[in-house]
Amino acid sequence: MPSTTTATTSRKSTTRRTTTARTKTPDAVSLLRADHKLVAGLFEQFEKSRSTAKKKQLVAQICLELTVHAQVEEEIFYPEVQAALKDKELVPEARVEHQSIKDLIAAVEGVEPGGEDYDAKVKVMSEWVKHHVKEEQNEMFPKAKKSGLDMAELGERILQRKQELMAQEQAKH
């Protein structure tokens, strides 16, 4: 009996080590959820801020985060999910929502904060993002997870592309 226990224990720790090594990069859904949480926090800070300089800094960060997030979803996540699910509804709708958000980004990016329109545009962008996030997290992500897609591999690709895009964006400024 003790040798069986030792073999089992040994196998479990080997499995655990392999799993730990493989999950150093979060899976695709975890990465995208983390982006959603980050941006939600930035929008909350914007709502509370009374400083024009702080609002400008927050909007710049929101625009950067949303631009990069949308691009990795459109380049990597959406095509994989659409193919795996044979989807004709979720992904096209998500792409249209992205375009609406991109239009709002264009309306506030690089613009000096001030006046009701600026804050209203950021507020509407926040509401669009919340709506989009809710649909992704409640509908698309659960279906994607059940689809058999390799979420760890997708996560690695998303993280790598996100790092490339962030570096490119920071080089512009």
Side-chain angles (χ1 to χ4, degrees):
M1 285 265 202
S3 62
T4 307
T5 306
T6 307
T8 305
T9 304
S10 175
R11 239 180 288 130
K12 282 183 182 172
S13 59
T14 303
T15 303
R16 199 175 303 121
R17 262 185 265 124
T18 304
T19 303
T20 303
R22 184 173 168 87
T23 58
K24 284 185 181 175
T25 301
D27 70 46
V29 169
S30 296
L31 279 170
L32 298 174
R33 282 182 185 270
D35 286 353
H36 294 166
K37 187 175 180 180
L38 171 67
V39 171
L42 294 170
F43 277 122
E44 284 178 27
Q45 288 178 50
F46 180 88
E47 287 287 320
K48 293 175 185 172
S49 181
R50 298 292 160 244
S51 160
T52 302
K54 181 68 175 172
K55 282 184 173 188
K56 184 175 181 177
Q57 180 262 323
L58 286 166
V59 167
Q61 190 176 357
I62 288 167
C63 291
L64 172 64
E65 297 292 341
L66 288 175
T67 299
V68 169
H69 176 85
Q71 191 165 342
V72 298
E73 280 187 333
E74 291 170 8
E75 287 179 5
I76 300 167
F77 191 70
Y78 288 173
E80 295 287 344
V81 169
Q82 190 166 28
L85 299 177
K86 296 175 182 32
D87 173 64
K88 293 183 184 344
E89 186 180 328
L90 287 173
V91 172
E93 184 178 329
R95 283 193 185 109
V96 170
E97 289 171 353
H98 275 190
Q99 188 55 55
S100 297
I101 294 166
K102 288 175 190 176
D103 292 344
L104 287 164
I105 288 170
V108 296
E109 196 171 35
V111 174
E112 288 297 318
E116 296 170 358
D117 283 357
Y118 184 87
D119 285 2
K121 288 173 185 173
V122 175
K123 176 73 174 167
V124 170
M125 185 188 329
S126 172
E127 290 170 359
W128 267 105
V129 169
K130 282 178 193 164
H131 167 81
H132 177 73
V133 164
K134 183 178 176 184
E135 286 185 349
E136 278 189 346
Q137 292 188 170
N138 293 340
E139 297 176 45
M140 186 183 294
F141 291 173
K143 288 179 180 178
K145 280 183 157 185
K146 291 177 187 171
S147 73
L149 283 170
D150 184 343
M151 289 297 165
E153 186 270 337
L154 268 177
E156 289 170 18
R157 287 173 45 206
I158 288 170
L159 184 61
Q160 181 181 2
R161 184 64 176 136
K162 189 173 173 190
Q163 290 168 343
E164 290 169 6
L165 292 169
M166 284 293 193
Q168 287 173 10
E169 289 297 322
Q170 288 167 349
K172 289 180 188 177
H173 303 285

